[in-house]
Amino acid sequence: MSVTVIVGCQWGDEGKGKIVDMLSNRHDVIVRYQGGANAGHTVEIGEKKYILHLVPSGILWPHTTCVIGNGVVLDPIKLLEEISMLREHGIDCGGRLFISENAHLIMPYHKAIDSLSEKNTLKIGTTGRGIGPCYFDKFARRGIRLQDLAYPEKFRQKVEDNVREKEYQVARFTSEKLFDTEEIVKTYLAVADQLLVYKANTVVYLNDSIKNGKRVLLEGAQGALLDIDFGTYPYVTSSSPCSGGASTGTGISPNKITTINGILKAYTTRVGEGPFPTELFDADGEKLRSIGREYGATTGRSRRCGWFDLPLAKYTLMINGVTEISLTKLDILDSFEEIKICTGYRFKEEFLDIFPSDPEVLKQVIPDYLTFPGWLTDTTAIEKFEDLPEKAKNYISYLEQNLETPVKYVSIGARRDQIIIH
Ligand code: GDP
Ligand code: IMO
Ligand code: MG
């Protein structure tokens, strides 16, 4: 049995797309288990660059089958755009992509409410993709699922009921009538057949695949610190990116998961609002952003950058049960004379070596740093771990020892081939 979960262990954008693509070579079925088109997973193959929002990054290998699990919130229009983008690149999803009949649909009112909430209530800095409002409806038990598209009358009734509800909800922000049931029904039913060809009982498909010896790779979106339960609430997303979410988002039980690969960037980034203890506001931060091309793959927003945070990583490895680490973007540190790792925080008179869960504490902590000498060597063409500069090996070995978890992959460039197996 081989079921591997890929989980982001910071605030997203750790390089999950690149690692999933690399591992897809040795897997048969690649599955997205949560989130939606808020994700932006980049894969670079030679001169080609793909940004995937909903379709699993494993689709780029011809031998794979891809699944969008029940935990995902699906924007039908974005999905169809992505499928046609792939087709233009010669990649056909027909017969290779299955979508859970239970996946909830993002509706136009979800996106409108997402943007109205950002303007008028709590500013989270969301991607504006309607994610929170769609999960809100899922948990309120009035969501609309992919399978509902197969029953036009039932679908129409659900849209009408929801629109009535949403009109009350937005009345405090605007007197305009924002939603038109007939327009929504027309738009969605017009593409229903194109979507329903992908509909499947993915729970049975995945469990049968495992039984038949297929190797399954579960692709998390976002990151552990954006998790609705374990992240820096309320500055989080509305799903469960952590490894536990891989079970609830697919129907693969926890005892079938064999490997949990945690992705850590060699430094830290965050998009949107919320606390970020090691954030840099100086030339080093700007350098990480410009060399690391730290601009959002979904919204194009500039990412906040800072040094690696060890207590943060200890916490996220613990809650995910990470069994091996993929360390990405090591090459971005190649030209730094000094590189820092946060080993703990000062809070008033105290020293904290655990990631605080109290947001009031988290926003006031001052990081304590250990400084490492930079290796000042281009690592982007290195193929073997032994050939990395000694100082880079020391940096990695410090992380391995302190995180008590092996670093199995070191990524030294965006391209598929720029990977070192340790
Ligand atoms: P994801 O959301 O976790 O899949 O990450 P993103 O795709 O949003 O952001 C990661 C960015 O870093 C993308 O532009 C990748 O092409 C790029 N990338 C991934 N791994 C590496 C690496 O090891 N080195 C460099 N230089 N770029 C990388
Ligand atoms: P990938 O999969 C980084 C952030 C948003 C915002 C918060 C809530 O590419 O790593 P949402 O639209 O989900 O309600 O926004 O979560 N966020 C991400 N940050 N990478 C992502 O995905 C993200 N998806 C959401 O910036 O702070
Ligand atoms: Mg991303």
Side-chain angles (χ1 to χ4, degrees):
M1 196 155 64
S2 167
V3 179
T4 298
V5 182
I6 295 294
V7 60
C9 286
Q10 289 151 328
W11 277 288
D13 302 326
E14 299 90 349
K16 297 175 292 293
K18 147 112 198 212
I19 300 296
V20 168
D21 169 68
M22 185 266 296
L23 291 176
S24 296
N25 188 18
R26 303 185 244 128
H27 288 82
D28 307 297
V29 185
I30 326 296
V31 195
R32 269 283 304 271
Y33 58 84
Q34 46 67 237
N38 49 349
H41 295 180
T42 316
V43 182
E44 289 193 25
I45 307 168
E47 298 299 300
K48 281 195 178 170
K49 177 169 163 175
Y50 302 86
I51 298 179
L52 295 150
H53 301 288
L54 282 162
V55 177
S57 306
I59 196 80
L60 305 174
W61 288 90
H63 68 275
T64 59
T65 300
C66 289
V67 172
I68 296 180
N70 54 278
V72 171
V73 285
L74 194 74
D75 182 331
I77 310 301
K78 288 266 170 247
L79 176 76
L80 293 174
E81 280 172 14
E82 202 162 306
I83 289 172
S84 50
M85 176 277 285
L86 288 165
R87 196 175 300 123
E88 279 164 26
H89 285 90
I91 299 158
D92 192 355
C93 292
R96 289 184 58 206
L97 175 68
F98 299 110
I99 307 177
S100 166
E101 53 205 359
N102 291 343
H104 281 247
L105 298 182
I106 300 253
M107 306 299 289
Y109 45 77
H110 292 138
K111 292 192 223 179
I113 292 170
D114 195 352
S115 113
L116 281 170
S117 312
E118 283 286 299
K119 275 192 216 111
N120 298 290
T121 58
L122 179 66
K123 187 164 165 48
I124 303 282
T126 71
T127 59
R129 296 291 169 97
I131 306 296
C134 185
Y135 280 113
F136 180 92
D137 280 351
K138 173 175 176 171
F139 283 86
R141 297 163 293 187
R142 58 164 162 262
I144 302 181
R145 301 188 289 179
L146 179 63
Q147 57 182 294
D148 294 322
L149 284 174
Y151 304 97
E153 249 333 288
K154 184 170 139 195
F155 179 75
R156 211 200 81 84
Q157 189 58 53
K158 287 197 169 186
V159 175
E160 190 178 314
D161 294 347
N162 272 287
V163 163
R164 198 175 312 117
E165 185 68 34
K166 305 305 167 201
E167 274 166 356
Y168 287 126
Q169 212 177 322
V170 301
R172 63 195 167 126
F173 302 133
T174 173
S175 52
E176 249 180 283
K177 191 175 175 306
L178 293 182
F179 317 120
D180 179 341
T181 302
E182 295 316 320
E183 187 61 38
I184 297 172
V185 171
K186 199 168 114 205
T187 309
Y188 277 58
L189 289 183
V191 294
D193 288 344
Q194 289 176 62
L195 293 163
L196 290 169
V197 292
Y198 300 106
K199 176 177 82 77
N201 182 337
T202 53
V203 174
V204 169
Y205 175 77
L206 289 170
N207 281 286
D208 280 353
S209 299
I210 294 169
K211 208 184 278 173
N212 295 327
K214 301 275 187 216
R215 294 154 303 174
V216 176
L217 187 61
L218 302 169
E219 174 177 358
Q222 290 79 54
L225 287 172
L226 290 171
D227 188 284
I228 188 76
D229 283 282
F230 302 109
T232 44
Y233 192 88
Y235 301 102
V236 293
T237 191
S238 299
S239 68
S240 306
C242 281
S243 55
S247 281
T248 54
T250 58
I252 297 174
S253 61
N255 61 347
K256 297 203 180 76
I257 294 170
T258 49
T259 305
I260 300 173
N261 185 303
I263 319 270
L264 287 164
K265 220 179 250 191
Y267 50 98
T268 314
T269 62
R270 169 163 211 172
V271 200
E273 308 294 318
F276 177 178
T278 63
E279 181 169 13
L280 293 168
F281 299 95
D282 59 5
D284 281 340
E286 194 41 58
K287 189 170 166 184
L288 287 171
R289 181 158 37 249
S290 63
I291 305 183
R293 291 186 287 161
E294 295 296 353
Y295 298 93
T298 296
T299 57
R301 288 177 294 174
S302 156
R303 294 176 182 152
R304 300 157 63 192
C305 297
W307 295 121
F308 191 94
D309 187 330
L310 196 59
L312 177 160
K314 279 185 189 165
Y315 166 69
T316 58
L317 263 52
M318 173 179 74
I319 57 178
N320 283 294
V322 167
T323 56
E324 60 184 34
I325 295 169
S326 293
L327 187 68
T328 60
K329 302 192 94 162
L330 186 77
D331 56 298
I332 303 307
L333 303 179
D334 284 354
S335 62
F336 281 81
E337 285 189 8
E338 287 188 335
I339 299 161
K340 294 185 182 174
I341 293 181
C342 164
T343 53
Y345 319 101
R346 305 260 154 209
F347 175 66
K348 298 184 177 160
E349 300 305 306
E350 276 178 87
F351 178 76
L352 309 175
D353 61 359
I354 55 159
F355 190 72
S357 68
D358 180 339
E360 288 309 310
V361 176
L362 194 59
K363 77 182 180 206
Q364 290 178 54
V365 293
I366 300 165
D368 245 23
Y369 288 112
L370 198 62
T371 302
F372 290 73
W375 42 92
L376 302 173
T377 309
D378 182 353
T379 58
T380 57
I382 293 176
E383 291 174 0
K384 292 200 213 94
F385 192 83
E386 308 85 89
D387 297 338
L388 278 169
E390 260 337 285
K391 288 174 180 152
K393 282 195 251 181
N394 288 343
Y395 184 79
I396 297 168
S397 130
Y398 179 84
L399 293 179
E400 261 188 333
Q401 276 166 27
N402 284 277
L403 294 170
E404 297 173 4
T405 311
V407 171
K408 176 127 188 232
Y409 303 102
V410 181
S411 177
I412 34 81
R415 285 196 329 267
R416 190 182 256 182
D417 54 305
Q418 290 176 301
I419 194 87
I420 297 171
I421 302 175
H422 183 198

